[in-house]
Coordinates of all heavy atoms in Angstrom, one line a residue:
N175 N 0.8 -1.2 0.0 CA 0.0 0.0 0.0 C 0.9 1.3 0.0 O 0.6 2.2 -0.7 CB -0.9 0.0 1.2 CG -2.1 0.9 1.0 OD1 -2.6 1.2 -0.1 ND2 -2.6 1.4 2.1
E176 N 1.9 1.3 0.8 CA 2.8 2.4 0.8 C 3.5 2.6 -0.5 O 3.7 3.7 -1.0 CB 3.9 2.3 1.9 CG 3.3 2.4 3.3 CD 2.6 3.7 3.6 OE1 3.2 4.8 3.4 OE2 1.4 3.7 3.9
L177 N 3.9 1.5 -1.2 CA 4.6 1.6 -2.5 C 3.6 2.2 -3.5 O 4.0 3.1 -4.2 CB 5.0 0.2 -3.0 CG 5.5 0.1 -4.4 CD1 6.8 0.9 -4.6 CD2 5.7 -1.4 -4.8
L178 N 2.3 1.8 -3.5 CA 1.3 2.3 -4.4 C 1.1 3.8 -4.1 O 0.9 4.6 -5.0 CB 0.0 1.5 -4.3 CG 0.2 0.1 -4.8 CD1 -1.1 -0.7 -4.5 CD2 0.5 0.0 -6.3
K179 N 1.1 4.2 -2.8 CA 0.9 5.6 -2.5 C 2.0 6.4 -3.0 O 1.8 7.6 -3.5 CB 0.7 5.7 -1.0 CG -0.6 5.3 -0.4 CD -0.7 5.5 1.1 CE -2.0 4.9 1.6 NZ -2.1 5.0 3.1
L180 N 3.3 5.9 -2.9 CA 4.4 6.7 -3.4 C 4.3 6.8 -4.9 O 4.6 7.9 -5.5 CB 5.7 6.0 -3.0 CG 6.2 6.1 -1.6 CD1 7.3 5.1 -1.3 CD2 6.5 7.5 -1.2
I181 N 3.9 5.8 -5.6 CA 3.7 5.9 -7.0 C 2.6 6.9 -7.4 O 2.8 7.8 -8.2 CB 3.3 4.5 -7.6 CG1 4.5 3.5 -7.5 CG2 2.8 4.7 -9.1 CD1 4.1 2.1 -7.9
L182 N 1.5 6.9 -6.6 CA 0.5 7.9 -6.8 C 0.9 9.3 -6.6 O 0.6 10.2 -7.4 CB -0.7 7.5 -5.9 CG -2.0 8.3 -6.2 CD1 -2.5 8.1 -7.6 CD2 -3.1 7.8 -5.2
I183 N 1.7 9.5 -5.5 CA 2.2 10.9 -5.2 C 3.1 11.4 -6.3 O 3.1 12.6 -6.6 CB 2.9 10.9 -3.8 CG1 1.9 10.7 -2.7 CG2 3.7 12.2 -3.6 CD1 2.6 10.4 -1.4
N184 N 3.9 10.5 -6.9 CA 4.8 10.9 -7.9 C 4.3 10.4 -9.3 O 5.1 9.8 -10.1 CB 6.2 10.2 -7.6 CG 6.7 10.8 -6.3 OD1 7.1 11.9 -6.2 ND2 6.7 9.9 -5.3
K185 N 3.0 10.6 -9.5 CA 2.3 10.1 -10.7 C 3.0 10.3 -12.0 O 3.3 9.4 -12.8 CB 0.9 10.7 -10.7 CG 0.0 10.1 -11.7 CD -1.4 10.8 -11.5 CE -2.4 10.1 -12.3 NZ -3.8 10.6 -12.0
E186 N 3.4 11.5 -12.3 CA 3.9 11.8 -13.6 C 5.3 11.2 -13.8 O 5.7 10.7 -14.9 CB 4.0 13.4 -13.9 CG 2.6 14.0 -14.0 CD 1.7 13.3 -15.0 OE1 2.2 13.1 -16.1 OE2 0.5 13.1 -14.6
L187 N 6.1 11.3 -12.8 CA 7.5 10.7 -12.8 C 7.4 9.2 -13.0 O 8.1 8.6 -13.8 CB 8.3 11.1 -11.6 CG 9.7 10.4 -11.5 CD1 10.5 10.9 -12.6 CD2 10.3 10.8 -10.1
C188 N 6.4 8.6 -12.3 CA 6.3 7.1 -12.3 C 5.8 6.7 -13.7 O 6.1 5.6 -14.1 CB 5.4 6.7 -11.2 SG 6.2 6.7 -9.6
K189 N 5.0 7.5 -14.3 CA 4.5 7.1 -15.7 C 5.7 7.0 -16.6 O 5.8 6.1 -17.5 CB 3.5 8.1 -16.2 CG 2.2 8.0 -15.6 CD 1.2 9.0 -16.3 CE -0.2 8.9 -15.7 NZ -1.1 9.8 -16.3
I190 N 6.7 7.8 -16.4 CA 7.9 7.8 -17.2 C 8.8 6.6 -16.8 O 9.2 5.8 -17.7 CB 8.7 9.1 -17.1 CG1 7.9 10.2 -17.7 CG2 10.1 9.0 -17.8 CD1 8.5 11.6 -17.3
I191 N 9.0 6.4 -15.5 CA 9.8 5.3 -15.0 C 9.2 4.0 -15.3 O 9.9 3.0 -15.7 CB 10.1 5.5 -13.5 CG1 10.9 6.7 -13.2 CG2 10.7 4.2 -12.9 CD1 11.0 7.1 -11.7
F192 N 7.9 3.9 -15.1 CA 7.2 2.6 -15.3 C 6.6 2.4 -16.7 O 5.6 1.7 -16.9 CB 6.1 2.4 -14.3 CG 6.7 2.4 -12.9 CD1 6.2 3.3 -11.9 CD2 7.6 1.4 -12.5 CE1 6.7 3.2 -10.6 CE2 8.1 1.4 -11.2 CZ 7.6 2.3 -10.2
N193 N 7.2 3.0 -17.7 CA 6.7 2.8 -19.1 C 6.9 1.4 -19.5 O 7.6 0.6 -18.8 CB 7.4 3.8 -20.1 CG 8.9 3.5 -20.2 OD1 9.4 2.4 -20.1 ND2 9.6 4.5 -20.5
E194 N 6.4 1.0 -20.6 CA 6.4 -0.4 -21.0 C 7.9 -1.0 -21.0 O 8.1 -2.1 -20.7 CB 5.8 -0.6 -22.4 CG 4.3 -0.4 -22.4 CD 3.6 -1.4 -21.6 OE1 3.9 -2.6 -21.7 OE2 2.6 -1.0 -20.9
K195 N 8.8 -0.2 -21.4 CA 10.2 -0.6 -21.5 C 10.9 -0.9 -20.1 O 11.6 -1.8 -20.0 CB 11.0 0.4 -22.3 CG 12.4 0.0 -22.6 CD 13.1 1.0 -23.4 CE 14.6 0.6 -23.7 NZ 15.3 1.6 -24.4
N196 N 10.6 0.0 -19.2 CA 11.3 -0.1 -17.9 C 10.5 -0.7 -16.7 O 11.1 -1.1 -15.8 CB 11.7 1.3 -17.4 CG 12.6 2.0 -18.4 OD1 13.5 1.4 -18.9 ND2 12.4 3.3 -18.6
S197 N 9.2 -0.7 -16.8 CA 8.4 -1.1 -15.6 C 8.7 -2.4 -15.0 O 8.8 -2.5 -13.8 CB 6.9 -0.9 -15.9 OG 6.5 -1.9 -16.9
A198 N 8.8 -3.4 -15.8 CA 9.1 -4.8 -15.3 C 10.4 -4.8 -14.5 O 10.5 -5.3 -13.4 CB 9.1 -5.8 -16.4
Y199 N 11.4 -4.1 -15.1 CA 12.7 -4.1 -14.4 C 12.6 -3.4 -13.1 O 13.1 -3.9 -12.0 CB 13.7 -3.4 -15.3 CG 15.1 -3.3 -14.6 CD1 15.9 -4.3 -14.4 CD2 15.4 -2.0 -14.1 CE1 17.1 -4.2 -13.7 CE2 16.6 -1.9 -13.4 CZ 17.5 -2.9 -13.2 OH 18.6 -2.8 -12.6
V200 N 12.0 -2.2 -13.0 CA 11.9 -1.4 -11.8 C 11.1 -2.1 -10.8 O 11.6 -2.2 -9.6 CB 11.3 0.0 -12.1 CG1 11.1 0.8 -10.9 CG2 12.2 0.8 -13.1
L201 N 9.9 -2.5 -11.1 CA 9.1 -3.2 -10.1 C 9.7 -4.5 -9.7 O 9.6 -4.9 -8.5 CB 7.7 -3.4 -10.7 CG 6.9 -2.1 -10.9 CD1 5.6 -2.4 -11.7 CD2 6.5 -1.5 -9.6
N202 N 10.3 -5.2 -10.6 CA 10.9 -6.5 -10.2 C 12.1 -6.2 -9.2 O 12.2 -7.0 -8.3 CB 11.5 -7.2 -11.5 CG 11.6 -8.7 -11.3 OD1 11.0 -9.3 -10.4 ND2 12.5 -9.3 -12.1
T203 N 12.8 -5.2 -9.4 CA 13.9 -4.8 -8.4 C 13.3 -4.6 -7.1 O 13.8 -5.1 -6.1 CB 14.7 -3.6 -9.0 OG1 15.2 -3.9 -10.2 CG2 15.8 -3.2 -8.0
V204 N 12.2 -3.8 -7.0 CA 11.6 -3.5 -5.7 C 11.1 -4.8 -5.1 O 11.3 -5.1 -3.9 CB 10.4 -2.5 -5.9 CG1 9.6 -2.4 -4.6 CG2 10.9 -1.2 -6.4
L205 N 10.4 -5.6 -5.8 CA 9.8 -6.9 -5.3 C 10.9 -7.9 -4.9 O 10.7 -8.6 -3.9 CB 8.8 -7.5 -6.2 CG 7.5 -6.7 -6.4 CD1 6.7 -7.3 -7.6 CD2 6.7 -6.6 -5.2
N206 N 11.9 -7.9 -5.6 CA 13.0 -8.9 -5.3 C 13.8 -8.5 -4.0 O 14.4 -9.4 -3.5 CB 14.0 -9.0 -6.5 CG 13.5 -10.0 -7.5 OD1 12.8 -10.9 -7.3 ND2 14.0 -9.8 -8.8
S207 N 13.6 -7.3 -3.6 CA 14.2 -6.9 -2.3 C 13.6 -7.7 -1.2 O 14.3 -7.9 -0.1 CB 14.1 -5.4 -2.1 OG 12.8 -5.1 -1.9
A208 N 12.5 -8.3 -1.4 CA 11.8 -9.0 -0.3 C 11.9 -10.5 -0.6 O 11.1 -11.3 0.0 CB 10.4 -8.6 -0.2
H209 N 12.8 -10.9 -1.5 CA 12.9 -12.3 -2.0 C 13.0 -13.3 -0.9 O 12.2 -14.3 -0.8 CB 14.0 -12.5 -3.0 CG 14.3 -13.9 -3.4 ND1 15.1 -14.7 -2.7 CD2 13.8 -14.6 -4.5 CE1 15.1 -15.9 -3.3 NE2 14.3 -15.8 -4.4
D210 N 14.0 -13.2 0.0 CA 14.2 -14.2 1.0 C 13.1 -14.3 2.0 O 12.7 -15.5 2.4 CB 15.5 -13.9 1.7 CG 16.8 -14.1 0.8 OD1 16.6 -14.7 -0.3 OD2 17.8 -13.5 1.2
I211 N 12.5 -13.2 2.4 CA 11.4 -13.2 3.3 C 10.2 -13.9 2.7 O 9.5 -14.7 3.3 CB 11.1 -11.8 3.8 CG1 12.2 -11.2 4.6 CG2 9.8 -11.8 4.6 CD1 12.1 -9.7 4.9
T212 N 10.0 -13.6 1.4 CA 8.8 -14.1 0.7 C 9.0 -15.6 0.5 O 8.0 -16.4 0.7 CB 8.6 -13.4 -0.6 OG1 8.5 -12.0 -0.4 CG2 7.4 -13.9 -1.3
I213 N 10.1 -16.0 0.1 CA 10.4 -17.5 -0.1 C 10.1 -18.2 1.3 O 9.5 -19.3 1.3 CB 11.8 -17.8 -0.6 CG1 12.0 -17.3 -2.0 CG2 12.2 -19.2 -0.4 CD1 11.2 -18.1 -3.1
A214 N 10.6 -17.7 2.4 CA 10.4 -18.3 3.7 C 8.9 -18.4 4.0 O 8.5 -19.4 4.5 CB 11.1 -17.5 4.8
E215 N 8.1 -17.4 3.7 CA 6.7 -17.4 3.9 C 6.0 -18.5 3.0 O 5.1 -19.2 3.5 CB 6.1 -16.0 3.7 CG 6.4 -15.0 4.8 CD 6.0 -15.5 6.2 OE1 4.9 -16.0 6.4 OE2 6.8 -15.4 7.1
I216 N 6.4 -18.5 1.8 CA 5.8 -19.5 0.9 C 6.1 -20.9 1.4 O 5.3 -21.8 1.3 CB 6.3 -19.3 -0.6 CG1 5.9 -17.9 -1.1 CG2 5.8 -20.4 -1.5 CD1 6.6 -17.5 -2.4
K217 N 7.4 -21.1 1.8 CA 7.8 -22.4 2.3 C 6.9 -22.9 3.5 O 6.7 -24.0 3.7 CB 9.3 -22.4 2.7 CG 9.9 -23.7 2.8 CD 11.4 -23.7 2.9 CE 11.9 -25.0 2.8 NZ 13.3 -25.0 2.4
K218 N 6.5 -21.9 4.4 CA 5.7 -22.3 5.5 C 4.3 -22.8 5.0 O 3.8 -23.7 5.6 CB 5.4 -21.0 6.4 CG 6.6 -20.6 7.2 CD 6.3 -19.4 8.0 CE 7.5 -18.8 8.7 NZ 7.2 -17.5 9.4
Q219 N 3.8 -22.2 3.9 CA 2.5 -22.6 3.4 C 2.6 -23.8 2.5 O 1.7 -24.6 2.4 CB 1.9 -21.4 2.5 CG 1.6 -20.2 3.3 CD 0.5 -20.4 4.3 OE1 -0.5 -21.1 4.0 NE2 0.6 -19.9 5.5
L220 N 3.8 -24.0 1.9 CA 4.0 -25.2 1.0 C 5.2 -26.0 1.5 O 6.3 -26.0 0.8 CB 4.2 -24.7 -0.4 CG 3.1 -23.9 -1.1 CD1 3.5 -23.3 -2.4 CD2 1.8 -24.7 -1.2
P221 N 5.2 -26.6 2.6 CA 6.4 -27.2 3.2 C 7.0 -28.4 2.4 O 8.2 -28.7 2.5 CB 5.9 -27.8 4.6 CG 4.4 -27.9 4.4 CD 4.0 -26.8 3.4
N222 N 6.2 -29.0 1.5 CA 6.7 -30.0 0.6 C 7.4 -29.5 -0.7 O 7.9 -30.3 -1.4 CB 5.6 -31.1 0.3 CG 5.1 -31.7 1.6 OD1 5.9 -31.9 2.5 ND2 3.9 -32.1 1.6

């Protein structure tokens, strides 16, 4: 929610940053910062 609020506050800049060419890379970088924590949580739900 905070990430989305930051995008909304910086709407025009984010439209440039998150254009078709760059958006997957930028958002992927942000989401990958939580990789290890997310994997651990998934593992709890899918122990096998």
Side-chain angles (χ1 to χ4, degrees):
N175 200 29
E176 290 301 306
L177 173 64
L178 294 173
K179 285 179 183 176
L180 286 172
I181 292 170
L182 189 58
I183 290 168
N184 299 289
K185 189 175 188 174
E186 295 307 314
L187 178 61
C188 287
K189 283 183 181 180
I190 295 167
I191 293 172
F192 297 121
N193 66 28
E194 291 296 318
K195 185 177 178 183
N196 297 324
S197 66
Y199 174 76
V200 174
L201 291 170
N202 202 23
T203 300
V204 171
L205 292 173
N206 277 334
S207 66
H209 175 271
D210 294 344
I211 294 168
T212 305
I213 291 288
E215 288 302 317
I216 296 169
K217 195 169 193 162
K218 288 179 189 175
Q219 296 292 320
L220 303 171
N222 296 328

